[in-house]
Amino acid sequence: TECLARAAGFTGLPLLLSGSLDLCAAHGFDAREVGLLREVLTLAQRMHHLSFVLSGWQRACEGGELSGAAVAHGVMTGVLSARELSAEGAALQGPAIAARLQAARIDSHFLTAWLQARQQTRELAQRLRSVDVQRLLVAHQRLLWLQLQHRGLV
């Protein structure tokens, strides 16, 4: 589905599916909570994906890789135009495009999306009775912190 594809990205789909299978196979899991668990895992996977976007968009863009989420968001918001992303000048324009995205505070969009996903996950997790997903939330928060630290943002 569209929601699953957006949340999982390329790196996260195996993680999402494995988590679903492991938890659903557990003896104490209440099968009536499958839909709720799917929502929690999908949001947690979105947090995972957003962490990687935040940690790598600038480096990728500076290297000429202009197909990522940050560049797409830049085009959607009018910070960039399709002409600026032409194949002929992409490698040379990458650093300038990254600088423009940074000046437009593109990080704030993805960090806000991460914070919203975390809040939604916390709210849904409180409704889960047969599974404690608090460690999952803590792990995602640590992952984001490490990645932001790596970029010198915290």
Side-chain angles (χ1 to χ4, degrees), residues 29-99:
F29 182 72
D30 184 348
R32 294 173 293 188
E33 293 186 333
V34 169
L36 184 57
L37 179 61
R38 281 186 189 141
E39 288 183 67
V40 167
L41 290 175
T42 298
L43 284 165
Q45 193 56 55
R46 178 160 171 72
M47 291 166 60
H48 173 83
H49 174 70
L50 289 164
S51 293
F52 280 103
V53 170
L54 281 163
S55 70
W57 76 262
Q58 188 173 6
R59 180 179 56 251
C61 190
E62 287 172 349
E65 173 54 54
L66 304 177
S67 64
V71 173
H73 184 72
V75 171
M76 285 178 18
T77 57
V79 173
L80 300 171
S81 70
R83 193 177 113 205
E84 293 171 307
L85 303 177
S86 67
E88 297 82 34
L92 296 174
Q93 293 178 359
I97 290 171

Side-chain angles (χ1 to χ4, degrees), residues 10-153:
F10 288 112
T11 61
L13 189 57
L15 213 112
L16 183 65
L17 292 175
S18 296
S20 296
L21 292 173
D22 289 347
L23 288 170
C24 290
H27 293 289
F29 182 72
D30 184 348
R32 294 173 293 188
E33 293 186 333
V34 169
L36 184 57
L37 179 61
R38 281 186 189 141
E39 288 183 67
V40 167
L41 290 175
T42 298
L43 284 165
Q45 193 56 55
R46 178 160 171 72
M47 291 166 60
H48 173 83
H49 174 70
L50 289 164
S51 293
F52 280 103
V53 170
L54 281 163
S55 70
W57 76 262
Q58 188 173 6
R59 180 179 56 251
C61 190
E62 287 172 349
E65 173 54 54
L66 304 177
S67 64
V71 173
H73 184 72
V75 171
M76 285 178 18
T77 57
V79 173
L80 300 171
S81 70
R83 193 177 113 205
E84 293 171 307
L85 303 177
S86 67
E88 297 82 34
L92 296 174
Q93 293 178 359
I97 290 171
R100 181 151 350 131
L101 290 171
Q102 189 171 20
R105 299 178 46 108
I106 201 82
D107 284 337
S108 66
H109 166 75
F110 294 102
L111 184 56
T112 299
W114 188 92
L115 291 168
Q116 289 171 341
R118 181 183 67 172
Q119 183 60 34
Q120 290 174 308
T121 304
R122 282 180 173 171
E123 290 168 5
L124 291 172
Q126 290 176 353
R127 294 177 24 213
L128 274 173
R129 300 289 176 233
S130 59
V131 179
D132 181 5
V133 293
Q134 293 307 312
R135 290 189 342 191
L136 177 66
L137 287 170
V138 168
H140 280 299
Q141 192 157 329
R142 284 185 187 152
L143 174 65
L144 178 64
W145 178 261
L146 289 171
Q147 290 172 337
L148 293 177
Q149 242 182 348
H150 176 72
R151 288 201 44 219
L153 298 174

